[in-house]
Amino acid sequence: MQLSLDQAKGLCRMAALGAGANEEAAQSLTASIISAEAEGLSNVGLTHFIDYLEALEAGRIDGNADPVITRPALAVYLSDARGGLAHTGFDRTIDDLAKAARLFGVAIFSQKNAYTCGALGYFTGRLAAQGLVSFAATNGPAVLAGSGSVKPVYCTNPMSFAAPAADGAPLVIDQSSSATAFVNIRKAAEDSKKIPEGWALDESGNPTTDPAAAMKGAMLAFGGQRGANIALMVEVLAAGLSGANWSLDAPWFSGGPDSPGTGLFVLAVEPKLLDPDFEQRMKDQLDRLRRRYGVHVPGRARAEAAEKAQARGITAPKAVVQRISQFAERYSAE
């Protein structure tokens, strides 16, 4: 089905309200979902939005949670999401975080007790749009085997890095520590398709191309031991520093009544304090890498897709729109 961005935003907002979110949470979640869908990240767009709606309905997300944000140091913001969305506390803090980074050179946002945050590049990309270099890390329920293990001990533990460039789209890197995202394995299981070798292990610790077996076993890190070490680093930044649940202790995000209680770490850096010409040098370097050496520059395709979506709207599976509409109808009926 074809939807304009305004239609999609309106539908998602009403659906979130119908599922039990308050106005602030509904708008915060809707903005992140529509951004992902517009940028072509459908696996964390409208399809994933249904996970949020069902989590709101079941109580895994407290749609009325009021994040508690404290400032133990002038450049450090701590957020307790209190079982709500990851987005709300960050949305409340982002402007102050940016001001602190410009004043002190660096600033940190650290959060605990949140539901999983979806597209992590949404957080870093918004800081890059304000002229800041940023790095983010987050965790979730355990699905990924650690170095030397065959049992899941980490989440896919994504990390994101973004940097502004003059007169163009920012560099935005957003990738998991796993060989692929969990939602890709779940989608393969739903479509009865095999997954590539090297993505996962079955319940007995054997390599598998069966996505259903993979979901009962463990995902594998990219690059073997090195990727698993990065997953551990992300775990320490996201959960260790914040006091959030370690992935081993996080309830599953799509079942039961409990929040996964995950963590989020965001570092913002003011590059102009280090090099006043940073953005121009960044643009020149990215252009050289892309044009002369054929390097794929992450973030450019996302920006182009978002620009097209602004003009043409988005296309979503009919079944997905219908499921979202069921929640929206609840709000309309109130």
Side-chain angles (χ1 to χ4, degrees):
M1 296 182 65
Q2 188 76 18
L3 299 170
S4 70
L5 289 188
D6 285 342
Q7 287 175 328
K9 289 175 184 176
L11 177 63
C12 288
R13 173 184 165 272
M14 288 193 297
L17 291 169
N22 62 24
E23 185 66 43
E24 180 185 23
Q27 292 196 21
S28 198
L29 177 59
T30 293
S32 70
I33 291 296
I34 298 304
S35 174
E37 190 71 38
E39 290 178 351
L41 308 175
S42 58
N43 61 340
V44 286
L46 293 177
T47 300
H48 188 40
F49 184 52
I50 295 171
D51 292 323
Y52 286 96
L53 296 175
E54 292 176 347
L56 282 162
E57 179 182 49
R60 292 187 294 278
I61 300 174
D62 181 351
N64 293 295
D66 186 16
V68 175
I69 299 168
T70 57
R71 196 175 183 181
L74 291 177
V76 178
Y77 296 84
L78 299 183
S79 173
D80 183 345
R82 303 176 74 186
L85 294 165
H87 309 79
T88 311
F90 184 79
D91 284 352
R92 289 186 183 183
T93 310
I94 183 171
D95 289 338
D96 289 336
L97 183 71
K99 289 177 184 177
R102 294 188 189 104
L103 180 61
F104 301 109
V106 295
I108 291 172
F109 175 85
S110 180
Q111 181 169 257
K112 64 181 179 180
N113 295 333
Y115 192 75
T116 54
C117 69
L120 191 56
Y122 176 69
F123 298 83
T124 57
R126 291 167 67 193
L127 288 168
Q130 295 199 37
L132 300 171
V133 173
S134 59
F135 174 80
T138 190
N139 75 318
V143 295
L144 178 69
S147 178
S149 77
V150 295
K151 298 295 184 183
V153 294
Y154 311 129
C155 188
T156 56
N157 282 15
M159 71 207 91
S160 180
F161 175 86
D167 305 321
L171 170 70
V172 181
I173 299 170
D174 184 352
Q175 65 184 56
S176 63
S177 301
S178 53
T180 189
F182 173 80
V183 288
N184 291 335
I185 291 183
R186 184 175 67 177
K187 182 69 165 58
E190 292 170 352
D191 296 343
S192 300
K193 294 182 178 179
K194 290 187 176 182
I195 58 175
E197 293 182 2
W199 275 17
L201 304 173
D202 64 19
E203 202 169 9
S204 300
N206 299 312
T208 184
T209 58
D210 180 355
M215 292 176 69
K216 295 179 182 178
M219 298 175 65
L220 291 171
F222 75 84
Q225 179 180 336
R226 291 178 175 83
N229 288 343
I230 290 175
L232 177 55
M233 177 186 72
V234 166
E235 185 93 350
V236 172
L237 289 172
L241 290 179
S242 68
N245 281 336
W246 299 108
S247 293
L248 277 170
D249 303 317
W252 192 242
F253 74 92
S254 62
D258 298 322
S259 167
T262 61
L264 173 65
F265 172 87
V266 182
L267 173 69
V269 180
E270 172 54 272
K272 295 183 184 67
L273 294 177
L274 305 175
D275 180 0
D277 296 325
F278 173 81
E279 290 193 22
Q280 185 60 49
R281 293 182 63 245
M282 192 71 189
K283 176 187 184 302
D284 294 342
Q285 173 68 348
L286 294 179
D287 285 347
R288 176 169 62 168
L289 290 173
R290 182 172 56 87
R291 294 172 180 171
R292 189 178 301 177
Y293 297 95
V295 172
H296 168 68
V297 177
R300 185 181 177 87
R302 292 168 62 150
E304 291 174 350
E307 187 175 346
K308 290 179 181 177
Q310 192 67 44
R312 306 175 188 173
I314 55 177
T315 303
K318 185 177 181 179
V320 170
V321 176
Q322 289 176 335
R323 179 63 174 142
I324 295 172
S325 297
Q326 290 173 358
F327 286 91
E329 288 165 4
R330 297 181 192 177
Y331 174 69
S332 301
E334 293 180 359

